Amino acid sequence: MISPEPVLTDLRTAWAHELSDRLAGLYLHGSLVGGDFAPGRSDLDLLAVLDRDPDEPLLGVLAVLHADLDRRHPEWAGRIEVEYVSVAAVRDAARGQADRQHVIARVSPGELLHLLPATSHRVVTWSSVREHGRTLLGPAADALLPEIDPGRVRAALLDHVRDWPDWVVEMTGAGAQSYAVLTLCRAYQRLRCGRQLSKRQAAEPTAAAFPHWAGLIGWARDWWYESGLDSDPGRAGDVPAFVREVSAAVLAGEPDIRDRVR
């Protein structure tokens, strides 16, 4: 097993040195914090909180930082996900003013570093970091990030669920299909029980709720946690149908709560 701690230490040191005038806080979240990290499979998920929105000049600095980190730790290249957001963007999102003026920067597996709008979709991550994030730099996350109304987070998660039937059409590989199945399981369980479970934890109760999909859910869990191969044929015939059914089941049981949190 290749420990993630050396790369996190290196990242923390490099980011603190190069971004000292912009970086308000750096936080680890995701599977490593949640206790469900799969060596060789899981990514490292981080949120970098800035003093102001990222821009093109900062993007150039970040591109060099990420390239140097990949060079020093090739075993982690393509498996480090960082989102860069300003305190003001999170604050405005907490007030229901997302999508209006802010941008974030993001790099993730299969996605190059780029700028994009700070949409309300992101509050699911920001709220999770505030509640459970591990501090790498700066104050505790709940001291830096404003609290986001649970109803607003729920509305954003419902938007995710609503969009998944469109997203899954593009997911042709076994890994992407497995991810889609397990992510829908997590969303279903969070909306039903109010807790953020890991992919592994969410699989079993969702299989019980949808017993006719138990085989597919088991396949997705096993592929993800038992080193499935990218060359595996996947389940292209089943995954979109599963996503559509779970999405419809979630949305059918949910009133449209967005107006209540504006």
Side-chain angles (χ1 to χ4, degrees), residues 194-210:
R195 293 190 301 118
Q196 179 76 355
L197 302 179
S198 70
K199 294 181 181 70
R200 190 196 302 270
Q201 291 168 336
E204 183 175 351
T206 307
F210 297 89

Side-chain angles (χ1 to χ4, degrees), residues 161 163-166 168 177 180-181 184 213 216 238-248:
V161 171
D163 289 341
W164 261 104
D166 293 328
V168 76
Q177 292 167 9
V181 170
L184 259 293
W213 289 117
L216 178 69
D238 294 331
V239 172
F242 168 82
V243 169
R244 289 194 298 270
E245 181 175 334
V246 175
S247 175

Side-chain angles (χ1 to χ4, degrees), residues 37-55:
F37 187 79
R41 177 74 68 194
S42 295
D43 306 322
L44 295 177
D45 303 297
L46 298 107
L47 182 72
V49 183
L50 307 173
D51 66 335
R52 58 191 184 276
D53 285 359
D55 51 22

Side-chain angles (χ1 to χ4, degrees), residues 171-237:
M171 296 182 168
T172 57
Q177 292 167 9
S178 172
Y179 177 83
V181 170
L182 296 176
T183 297
L184 259 293
C185 290
R186 293 182 73 188
Y188 180 80
Q189 292 303 322
R190 180 165 180 174
L191 289 164
R192 286 292 179 264
C193 70
R195 293 190 301 118
Q196 179 76 355
L197 302 179
S198 70
K199 294 181 181 70
R200 190 196 302 270
Q201 291 168 336
E204 183 175 351
T206 307
F210 297 89
H212 53 295
W213 289 117
L216 178 69
I217 295 171
W219 165 81
R221 180 201 58 218
D222 293 345
W223 190 96
W224 194 263
Y225 290 102
E226 296 181 14
S227 300
L229 300 176
D230 291 333
S231 58
D232 290 345
R235 302 285 292 271

Side-chain angles (χ1 to χ4, degrees), residues 158 251-258 260:
L158 285 170
L251 297 175
E254 291 283 342
D256 190 337
I257 64 173
R258 285 173 290 181
R260 285 190 273 152

Side-chain angles (χ1 to χ4, degrees), residues 58-114:
L58 180 63
L59 218 60
V61 174
L62 296 177
V64 172
L65 280 172
H66 280 280
D68 287 347
L69 190 72
D70 287 348
R71 177 177 49 78
R72 293 192 297 271
H73 302 276
E75 67 277 15
W76 290 100
R79 291 177 56 201
I80 297 175
E81 178 176 316
V82 188
E83 183 171 306
Y84 299 87
V85 62
S86 68
V87 175
V90 181
R91 184 185 305 119
D92 283 352
R95 296 170 177 166
Q97 298 174 342
D99 308 341
R100 298 189 181 181
Q101 58 179 332
H102 297 288
V103 296
I104 64 174
R106 178 178 167 83
V107 60
S108 66
E111 182 182 41
L112 297 176
L113 180 67
H114 65 296

